[in-house]
């Protein structure tokens, strides 16, 4: 990571520099750029020459003081020369302070930078104040070092703002700041506890590669927040509005919360933070784009839209905590008739990666979302453990209906995976077809109804005998006194003939079928075929009833 120079430079500056104080230990001396036709920087000019230079400045003038060491009084004198009488605040044109060193407090409060402003590799040894400042062009603080507090409260950045690789060793305040373009904090270092925001950014807030050494509170209303490969060494609370967040490969060892704010942020004075910069994005929802490569053991998500989130590759996903209304994508609605056979997907929570996989399959129905560039490719083999882990997270949160959806997704991925034996796939397919893996009561009840109708029809056709078998008693009477012995015989049931579908036969068949559903024998006399029909009915129909009851229980259990 680039760092500000802490000692004498071994290479000369790129500009013609002052050179004051050159010595064997510091061969190039002062790195400040020369002022105009002079051979010294602003800090080392003779008093008369400095006064002449400052007198020639007017509000809005371009200035170049790269590498110059500033005391508080010297900076104040420079800004006074640029002060606009109409507003009473400094107004600068193209301002170059790159590699400058501010030995004391550096206050640019309420200043207006009407062109670009460069503070790259600058060092602020004491407090840096840019509160209520306005940057109309791009501004660069890349690799700057803020040794003490840095205040950008209510500052307005109308162009892009670059804080990449900057180091914040004290407080960093951006409350009520407004960024009209992107805000770059990539590879920045925040060494102490920090509160950034609430701020508004019409573009992206880029924190990728940043390091946070203390407790952090971030409050952003921004279109996008990039937190790839960030490192969080303490607790963090991230409050967002209107934002899509990419958290891929972030590292954190303490609890970290990402939460959606339902209402605009409230400032310290009680006013709501204006979000006019986000007028084109009225939807305040917070969407998570990716958690790939993250250890989710300490992650809490509250009221976050997860319909686009990429989960494959997340570690300890079963320990993820979901609070509030965290939503997922769903299956395509309605019946799809443009293929044969027609297909209907029961509504359930699904992962974005399942959408991408199904959309890539031949003959995919409309409604599955196609993968965006960079989403990668994850198939059933990778998604089954993801569904399993999220199911456990929902179960631990006592959200059984949600857990049921992810169990269904897990079983679907197992059924479509390439690494399971054909016998197991056939078993899973039967389980899916009969009851939707024990989660679709209507499917199980439909099969139960069909089985009962078939049983009744078969019993009426071939199962019930033509007539009820009659019992006969035969015996012999011995001569004189003696015991009479009778043998009671019963006729064998006769196969039916003639009209078999009568009301009386239907009533008997219905009675037998209903008893079979609850695994009871009706005690009716049946033909040989009817006996086997009843045995089959007593085996299959109670199972289907049990699957229907199980599905209802899984949907209403809490």
């Amino acid at each position: 990571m680039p760092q500000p120079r802490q000692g004498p430079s071994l290479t000369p500056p790129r500009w013609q520099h002052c050179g004051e104080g050159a010595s064997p230990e510091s061969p190039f001396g002062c790195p400040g750029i020369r002022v105009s036709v002079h051979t010294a920087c602003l800090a080392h000019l003779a008093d008369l020459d400095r006064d002449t230079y400052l007198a020639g400045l007017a509000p809005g003038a371009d200035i170049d003081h790269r590498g110059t060491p500033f005391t508080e009084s010297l900076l104040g004198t420079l800004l006074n020369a640029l002060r606009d009488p109409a507003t009473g605040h400094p107004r600068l044109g193209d301002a170059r302070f790159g590699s400058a060193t501010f030995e004391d407090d550096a206050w640019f409060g309420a200043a207006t930078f009407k062109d670009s402003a460069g503070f790259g590799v600058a060092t602020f040894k004491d407090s840096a104040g840019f509160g209520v400042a306005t940057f109309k062009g791009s501004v660069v603080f890349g690799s700057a070092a803020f040794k003490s507090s840095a205040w950008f409260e209510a500052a307005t950045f109308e162009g892009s703002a670059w804080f990449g690789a900057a180091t914040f060793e004290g407080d960093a305040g951006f409350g009520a700041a407004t960024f009209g373009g992107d805000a770059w904090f990539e590879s920045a270092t925040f060494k102490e506890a920090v509160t950034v925001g609430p701020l508004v950014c019409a573009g992206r807030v880029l924190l990728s590669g940043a390091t946070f050494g203390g407790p952090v509170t971030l409050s952003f209303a921004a279109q996008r927040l990039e937190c790839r490969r960030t490192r969080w060494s303490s607790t963090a609370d991230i409050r967002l509005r209107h934002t899509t967040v990419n958290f891929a490969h972030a590292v954190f060892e303490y609890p970290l919360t990402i939460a959606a704010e339902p209402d605009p942020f409230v400032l310290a004075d009680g006013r709501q933070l204006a979000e006019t910069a986000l007028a084109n994005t009225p939807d305040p929802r917070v969407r998570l784009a990716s958690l790939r490569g993250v250890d989710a053991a300490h992650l809490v998500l509250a009221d976050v839209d997860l319909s686009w989130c990429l989960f494959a590759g997340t570690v300890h996903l079963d320990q993820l905590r979901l609070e509030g209304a965290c939503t997922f994508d769903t299956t395509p609605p309605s019946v799809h008739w443009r293929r044969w056979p027609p297909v209907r997907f029961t509504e359930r929570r699904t992962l974005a990666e399942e959408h991408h996989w199904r959309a890539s399959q031949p003959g995919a129905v409309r409604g599955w979302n196609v993968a965006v560039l960079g989403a990668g490719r994850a198939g059933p083999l990778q998604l089954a453990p993801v569904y399993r882990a999220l199911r456990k997270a929902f179960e631990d949160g006592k959200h059984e209906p949600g857990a049921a959806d992810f169990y269904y997704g897990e079983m679907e991925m197992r059924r479509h995976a390439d690494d399971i034996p054909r016998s197991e796939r056939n078993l899973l397919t039967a389980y899916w077809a009969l009851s939707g893996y024990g989660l679709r009561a209507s499917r199980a009840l439909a099969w139960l109804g069909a089985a009962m109708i078939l049983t009744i029809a078969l019993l009426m056709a071939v199962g019930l005998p033509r007539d009820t078998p009659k019992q006969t008693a035969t015996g012999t009477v011995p001569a004189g006194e003696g015991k009479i012995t009778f043998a009671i015989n019963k006729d064998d049931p006769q196969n039916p003939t003639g009209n078999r579908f009568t009301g009386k036969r239907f009533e008997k068949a219905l009675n037998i079928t209903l008893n079979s559903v609850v695994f009871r024998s009706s005690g009716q006399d049946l033909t040989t075929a009817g006996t086997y029909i009843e045995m089959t009915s007593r085996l299959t129909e109670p199972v289907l009833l049990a699957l229907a009851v199980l599905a209802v229980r899984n949907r209403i259990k809490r």
Side-chain angles (χ1 to χ4, degrees), residues 10 16 29 56 67 101 151 158 182 290 305 324 339 341 360 521:
L10 300 179
Q16 287 194 342
T101 300
W151 300 104
E158 296 185 4
D182 294 338
S290 178
D305 184 352
R339 53 169 292 171
S360 67
S521 175

Side-chain angles (χ1 to χ4, degrees), residues 438 440-441 444-445 448 542-556:
R440 301 293 182 258
L445 289 173
L448 177 60
V543 172
L544 293 172
L545 178 62
L547 289 174
V549 173
L550 177 64
V552 173
R553 177 182 178 276
N554 287 334
R555 281 298 174 184
I556 64 175

Side-chain angles (χ1 to χ4, degrees), residues 450-473:
M452 292 175 65
I453 292 172
L454 179 62
T455 301
I456 292 172
L458 290 175
L459 286 174
M460 293 175 67
V462 297
L464 294 174
R466 181 176 55 195
D467 298 305
T468 302
K470 296 181 174 55
Q471 293 181 337
T472 57

Side-chain angles (χ1 to χ4, degrees), residues 297-496:
H298 300 287
L299 181 60
V300 180
L301 303 178
D303 301 313
V304 176
D305 184 352
L306 300 172
S307 58
W308 298 353
C309 189
L310 304 178
F311 285 100
T314 307
V315 182
H316 293 144
L317 194 55
D318 58 320
Q319 299 179 39
L320 173 68
R321 285 182 55 193
L322 301 174
E323 305 288 347
C326 289
T327 58
F328 289 82
D329 210 341
T330 58
T331 53
S334 72
V335 179
H336 301 270
W337 297 98
R338 293 191 176 184
R339 53 169 292 171
W340 186 260
V343 62
R344 175 182 178 272
F345 295 97
T346 306
E347 184 176 352
R348 62 177 172 89
R349 297 171 179 85
T350 57
L351 298 180
E353 286 109 328
E354 182 181 349
H355 270 261
H356 302 163
W357 171 74
R358 289 190 183 273
S360 67
Q361 300 304 297
V365 301
R366 291 184 178 183
W368 295 110
N369 298 325
V370 179
V372 297
L373 184 64
R377 184 180 297 273
L381 193 60
Q382 293 78 29
L383 295 181
V386 176
Y387 271 112
R388 187 179 307 119
L390 285 172
R391 171 175 62 84
K392 186 176 185 303
F394 271 80
E395 289 174 345
D396 292 344
K398 306 302 181 184
H399 194 323
E400 293 295 337
D405 281 349
F406 286 100
Y407 173 73
Y408 193 103
E410 175 192 352
M411 299 299 286
E412 276 288 270
M413 295 302 100
R414 285 180 57 192
R415 184 166 69 93
H416 290 287
D418 296 330
D419 67 332
I420 65 170
R422 183 185 298 274
S423 58
E424 183 178 345
R425 178 178 285 107
N426 292 338
L427 182 62
L428 290 174
T429 300
Y431 192 23
W432 162 77
L434 290 175
S435 65
Y437 308 114
L439 296 172
R440 301 293 182 258
S442 58
R443 193 176 305 179
L445 289 173
W447 279 109
L448 177 60
M452 292 175 65
I453 292 172
L454 179 62
T455 301
I456 292 172
L458 290 175
L459 286 174
M460 293 175 67
V462 297
L464 294 174
R466 181 176 55 195
D467 298 305
T468 302
K470 296 181 174 55
Q471 293 181 337
T472 57
T474 60
T476 56
V477 180
E481 295 183 1
K483 184 182 293 184
I484 301 176
T485 302
F486 290 95
I488 300 177
N489 298 315
K490 190 174 186 179
D491 296 338
D492 291 332
Q494 299 298 311
N495 289 327

